[in-house]
Amino acid sequence: MAAPVDSPDIRTRTRPGPALFVAMYHSVGDATDDPYRITVTPERLDRQLGWFRRRGLRGVSMAELLAARARGEGRDLVGLTFDDGYADFVSEALPVLRRHDCGATLFVLPGRLGGDNAWDPLGPRKRLLTADGVRQAAAQGVEIGSHGLTHVDLTEADDVTLKSEAEGSRTVLAELTGAAPAGFCYPYGTLDQRAVDAVRAAGYAYACAIDPGPLGGPHALPRVHIGQNDTAVRLFLKYRLHRLRRRPVEEPR
């Protein structure tokens, strides 16, 4: 896998060029019971990453992607992000990423380490990484980012909870991995200006959303959901349509 990029080198000001393409994954494993469409099988992930590589594209962490774009490079890079920190990331996703020489960013929930996806009322319980699992992923070159402490909707959080989810999760992850995370990911993809301001104030260099609309910027980067049904044709359409719809994200002046 590609070597991790240290957070001090990350710059969110991108130079002119194609819009960033960032793929949003979650769990990698058995996709037969998947009401939220958050799971891809290892075989499907393997084919999807192979599709990118055959087109001269390589999946990397957000840190590597943003650093490259800040240098005016990285047109051949796509961001690979995995939300929630499922235990199957280490057992199922990492071997596939290594096979394709890809990096990735894993957004974890330090307040739920070793727990499960209790926030999902439907579908099977999916185990989350333990503290050792997070450290194992980091040791293998995966960028670790925060998904908040406990997966709450930040737009509905009171001030104390909002600060805890943004700033508190960063502190816990810094103690866990030895490095403060540069990136944040909004649970459920929901955000408002208050949430964006809190994430920025907590010291994150960037943050990922889904479709942030007018709030789009370095602390609300859009991503494209990739699922089990995304075969070559669907991947092609998603990649092309995203590049046509989006403009490069620049740091507000």
Side-chain angles (χ1 to χ4, degrees), residues 66 80 207 224 227:
L66 292 171
L80 298 181
V224 179

Side-chain angles (χ1 to χ4, degrees), residues 21-59:
F21 184 89
V22 182
M24 178 180 66
Y25 287 96
H26 289 77
S27 174
V28 180
D30 182 1
T32 54
D33 185 4
D34 187 31
Y36 299 104
R37 296 183 300 151
I38 63 168
T39 308
V40 298
T41 63
E43 295 76 18
R44 178 66 74 194
L45 178 62
D46 183 73
R47 290 194 287 271
Q48 290 168 344
L49 297 184
W51 184 89
F52 284 119
R53 293 310 298 263
R54 288 192 299 275
R55 282 150 186 80
L57 302 169
R58 183 169 66 88

Side-chain angles (χ1 to χ4, degrees), residues 174-196:
E175 295 172 351
L176 178 65
T177 66
F184 186 89
C185 175
Y186 298 95
Y188 304 105
T190 57
L191 71 164
D192 54 18
Q193 189 63 59
R194 177 169 161 268
V196 172

Side-chain angles (χ1 to χ4, degrees), residues 2-250:
V5 179
D6 294 333
S7 57
D9 296 330
I10 298 174
R11 300 177 180 85
T12 51
R13 184 189 299 278
T14 60
R15 298 183 183 181
L20 300 176
F21 184 89
V22 182
M24 178 180 66
Y25 287 96
H26 289 77
S27 174
V28 180
D30 182 1
T32 54
D33 185 4
D34 187 31
Y36 299 104
R37 296 183 300 151
I38 63 168
T39 308
V40 298
T41 63
E43 295 76 18
R44 178 66 74 194
L45 178 62
D46 183 73
R47 290 194 287 271
Q48 290 168 344
L49 297 184
W51 184 89
F52 284 119
R53 293 310 298 263
R54 288 192 299 275
R55 282 150 186 80
L57 302 169
R58 183 169 66 88
V60 297
S61 69
M62 290 302 299
E64 184 172 347
L65 176 62
L66 292 171
R69 291 299 294 271
R71 299 191 300 269
E73 304 169 357
R75 291 171 179 252
D76 59 341
L77 302 179
V78 296
L80 298 181
T81 62
F82 292 78
D83 290 8
D84 302 331
Y86 292 104
D88 57 36
F89 178 83
V90 169
S91 61
E92 305 295 340
L94 266 179
V96 181
L97 291 167
R98 285 198 298 265
R99 186 153 58 245
H100 291 276
D101 190 31
C102 288
T105 297
L106 177 65
F107 292 112
V108 303
L109 297 155
R112 292 188 181 270
L113 296 176
D116 61 29
N117 57 329
W119 60 88
D120 287 333
L122 303 177
R125 295 302 91 199
K126 289 179 172 286
R127 302 303 301 176
L128 303 179
L129 288 169
T130 63
D132 285 343
V134 173
R135 284 190 287 260
Q136 182 181 347
Q140 296 193 49
V142 175
E143 180 194 10
I144 304 299
S146 172
H147 201 26
L149 270 178
T150 59
H151 206 288
V152 301
D153 185 339
L154 298 187
T155 65
E156 299 179 357
D158 58 36
D159 290 344
V160 173
T161 302
L162 180 57
K163 183 174 182 179
S164 176
E165 292 288 326
E167 184 179 318
S169 65
R170 190 166 192 255
T171 299
V172 174
L173 285 177
E175 295 172 351
L176 178 65
T177 66
F184 186 89
C185 175
Y186 298 95
Y188 304 105
T190 57
L191 71 164
D192 54 18
Q193 189 63 59
R194 177 169 161 268
V196 172
D197 290 344
V199 168
R200 183 187 294 111
Y204 295 97
Y206 72 88
C208 288
I210 299 177
D211 189 358
L215 292 175
H219 287 87
L221 297 168
R223 295 182 296 167
V224 179
H225 168 74
I226 305 296
Q228 179 68 9
N229 294 329
D230 287 319
T231 57
V233 172
R234 288 171 60 97
L235 270 181
F236 172 78
L237 292 174
K238 285 188 174 184
Y239 182 77
R240 288 298 302 272
L241 289 174
H242 180 81
R243 306 275 282 204
L244 290 173
R245 290 174 56 204
R246 304 292 183 182
R247 297 179 179 179
V249 174
E250 296 186 0

